[in-house]
């Protein structure tokens, strides 16, 4: 995954979504209860993560195949 990291949080719905790169058509697959990976519809490449009930979680412990490179 390459591109800018986009964060979206809906406080009312307690929903967090992280997406890498430009918006593209995708679908979600559940990794565990309330945690989903977003995949590109054409390539099946992982392009983001979505988490429901963020405030109710004491921590998030995910092992994902994601390498994030940050540059200024």
């Amino acid at each position: 995954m390459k591109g800018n990291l986009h964060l979206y949080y809906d406080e009312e719905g307690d929903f967090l979504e992280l997406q890498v790169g430009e918006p593209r058509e995708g679908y979600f697959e559940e990794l565990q209860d309330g945690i989903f990976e977003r995949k590109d519809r054409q390539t099946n490449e992982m392009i983001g993560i979505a988490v429901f009930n963020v405030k109710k979680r004491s921590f998030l412990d995910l092992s994902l195949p994601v390498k994030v490179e940050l540059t200024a």
Side-chain angles (χ1 to χ4, degrees), residues 14-18 27-39 46 48-66:
D14 196 21
F15 171 76
L16 173 68
E17 184 172 358
L18 295 89
Y27 63 95
F28 289 98
E29 286 189 2
E30 190 166 18
L31 298 174
Q32 57 190 37
D33 187 33
I35 300 176
F36 299 81
E37 68 179 337
R38 186 160 190 264
K39 292 187 168 186
M46 185 175 155
I49 299 171
V51 181
F52 289 93
N53 301 315
V54 175
K55 291 179 185 176
K56 294 179 182 176
R57 298 174 187 275
S58 58
F59 63 92
L60 295 176
D61 186 14
L62 300 174
S63 296
L64 300 173
V66 177

